[in-house]
Amino acid sequence: MTDHDHPHDHQRTVAPMVDEITDFEVLEVALRELCIEKGIFTAAEHRRFTEFAEQIGPTPAARLVARAWLDPEFMALALAKPLSASKAVGVDWMEPTGFGTPSDFTAFRILADTPTLHHVIVCALCSCYPRPILGNSPEWYRTPNYRRRLVRWPRQVLAEFGLYLSDDVEVRVQDSNQKQRYMVLPVRPPGTDGWTEDQLAEIVTRDTLIGVALPKVGVTTNVITDTRPAVHPIAQQP
Amino acid sequence: GSQVKRNAHHLHAVGKGDPQVYAGKAGKPAFGVGDRVRVRDELPVLFYTRTPEYVRGATGEIAAVAYESPAAEDETWDIPEAAPEWFYVVRFTMADLWDGYPDTATDTLQTEIPQHWLRAAS
């Protein structure tokens, strides 16, 4: 049989976007199709979760902090009833299942920094993260390196992020090892008098909500750490 | 597909959330905020635990009486008769956890521990 015994139109065939499909992708498709075939979940449910995961991000959390800075009553609500405060910035922790996401739960806590207390969050056991209000966790947050070292050498790790805290500031590491998820409410930085909620929300980056950075006037993106070049780069290996 | 056994958890937690679905099921909490507690170090941890190795045997202070839930050690095997218990946020002084923790004596660490892992510290 020749190449052209089959009916499809080569002109209209979409070329693959990669040269090779990885084992991971083969297994992902196999698992998903089997689950749908067996009725464990439907294709529509898979799509719904994917779309939920694609619309989450750190914006609502930043807005929550900005509003708390401007409104002492909202600050009190955020600390006493964090689920209600989340709703006020458009995040319903009961989504998308009606009982929360299966892995983030509905026990959210906000840790308020003070001039003498700084919180930083980790999940030493895996990568637990307040995804409904903060989006997906950064890659480094999931690494064994961060998980192993933050609980023991927090000041060293924070220094690598460019955050140096003096000894009169208590560093408090929060390990989220059970059902509660945490976010940091940093101290409002100097130089922001008279700022609007939008202006304030802009300097509350994801990193400041994890606790590896402090909000700073003029800084609206996450920390980029200086990394040393590899000692044995892959290209030079025999 | 309709014959597949569903996760019963979804049905009982809808509209309540998890761990709220266990609220009121663990009785009176044994510890209150400020109580000194010691994390048990004699419990076996075969196959699964969520009590970090680095706090076993350490003494800390209850920072919050958090919520009620079956222990992760039971939930992970989907043991239906697992009794809900109180979970606490326990605060430890870093210098008590790590030998040679540098100069900053005030630094702390908080982690959540279920009641059966805790004993009152004398």
Side-chain angles (χ1 to χ4, degrees):
Chain A
M1 136 169 156
T2 71
D3 273 357
H4 292 93
D5 274 351
H6 49 272
H8 74 252
D9 179 354
H10 283 263
Q11 293 289 316
R12 301 179 59 140
T13 303
V14 177
M17 293 171 75
V18 289
D19 292 334
E20 189 178 277
I21 308 296
T22 63
D23 288 356
F24 179 87
E25 289 166 303
V26 171
L27 288 171
E28 187 277 326
V29 172
L31 188 63
R32 171 161 45 87
E33 291 191 344
L34 262 175
C35 284
I36 292 169
E37 190 177 313
K38 290 181 175 296
I40 309 290
F41 54 76
T42 66
E45 284 164 345
H46 184 272
R47 179 176 169 164
R48 182 144 177 253
F49 262 90
T50 306
E51 287 179 352
F52 173 82
E54 281 173 352
Q55 57 82 38
I56 54 176
T59 313
R63 186 142 302 272
L64 189 154
V65 169
R67 199 169 294 179
W69 282 344
L70 291 172
D71 178 357
E73 264 181 48
F74 186 75
M75 170 83 86
L77 177 75
L79 301 182
K81 293 183 173 173
L83 295 184
S84 305
S86 300
K87 252 190 184 164
V89 292
V91 172
D92 184 350
W93 280 76
M94 301 296 266
E95 291 291 330
T97 62
F99 71 102
T101 80
S103 55
D104 306 301
F105 300 98
T106 51
F108 178 46
R109 283 285 152 202
I110 297 173
L111 306 172
D113 283 356
T114 72
T116 55
L117 174 63
H118 177 78
H119 292 89
V120 58
I121 295 163
V122 63
C123 170
L125 292 173
C126 45
S127 59
C128 296
Y129 192 75
R131 290 190 301 164
I133 198 162
L134 221 58
N136 288 306
S137 59
E139 189 273 340
W140 52 259
Y141 183 89
R142 307 172 206 157
T143 58
N145 184 320
Y146 179 77
R147 291 156 47 197
R148 181 176 68 85
R149 293 170 65 224
L150 188 80
V151 291
R152 182 164 183 180
W153 295 285
R155 285 177 185 267
Q156 187 185 27
V157 174
L158 292 176
E160 289 169 20
F161 277 97
L163 177 55
Y164 299 87
L165 298 165
S166 63
D167 284 353
D168 54 0
V169 175
E170 171 186 340
V171 172
R172 183 174 292 165
V173 176
Q174 177 69 56
D175 188 354
S176 38
N177 61 323
Q178 300 277 2
K179 289 186 176 176
Q180 293 200 119
R181 298 291 175 267
Y182 301 88
M183 131 188 163
V184 176
L185 199 165
V187 176
R188 181 173 172 175
T192 57
D193 288 348
W195 280 29
T196 64
E197 190 177 301
D198 284 350
Q199 281 176 300
L200 290 169
E202 239 181 76
I203 60 167
V204 183
T205 60
R206 177 202 69 199
D207 286 350
T208 69
L209 298 158
I210 299 172
V212 296
L214 292 177
K216 223 170 138 185
V217 171
V219 178
T220 55
T221 53
N222 288 313
V223 174
I224 297 172
T225 53
D226 290 331
T227 47
R228 287 183 294 274
V231 178
H232 304 292
I234 289 169
Q236 287 175 21
Q237 283 180 356
Chain B
S2 61
Q3 302 310 310
V4 173
K5 185 178 169 286
R6 292 289 162 182
N7 182 357
H9 184 58
H10 183 176
L11 301 175
H12 85 134
V14 156
K16 300 183 182 116
D18 183 347
Q20 289 85 343
V21 67
Y22 302 109
K25 297 192 173 168
K28 203 169 160 283
F31 306 110
V33 171
D35 287 358
R36 301 284 296 167
V37 288
R38 193 184 64 80
V39 181
R40 296 173 70 184
D41 55 4
E42 75 281 13
L43 285 182
V45 290
L46 276 177
F47 299 120
Y48 195 81
T49 187
R50 277 208 201 165
T51 299
E53 194 176 13
Y54 64 74
V55 297
R56 282 184 218 144
T59 297
E61 181 184 308
I62 303 286
V65 181
Y67 57 87
E68 295 151 275
S69 169
E73 288 85 344
D74 292 330
E75 277 196 329
T76 199
W77 308 116
D78 196 19
I79 294 172
E81 66 271 25
E85 61 185 296
W86 279 98
F87 278 64
Y88 305 86
V89 177
V90 186
R91 185 178 304 158
F92 300 90
T93 299
M94 280 288 197
D96 291 342
L97 296 179
W98 311 109
D99 194 33
Y101 189 82
D103 49 15
T104 36
T106 54
D107 287 359
T108 50
L109 178 142
Q110 293 185 160
T111 187
E112 289 166 48
I113 318 268
Q115 189 166 297
H116 82 270
W117 270 96
L118 299 174
R119 290 287 180 263
S122 41

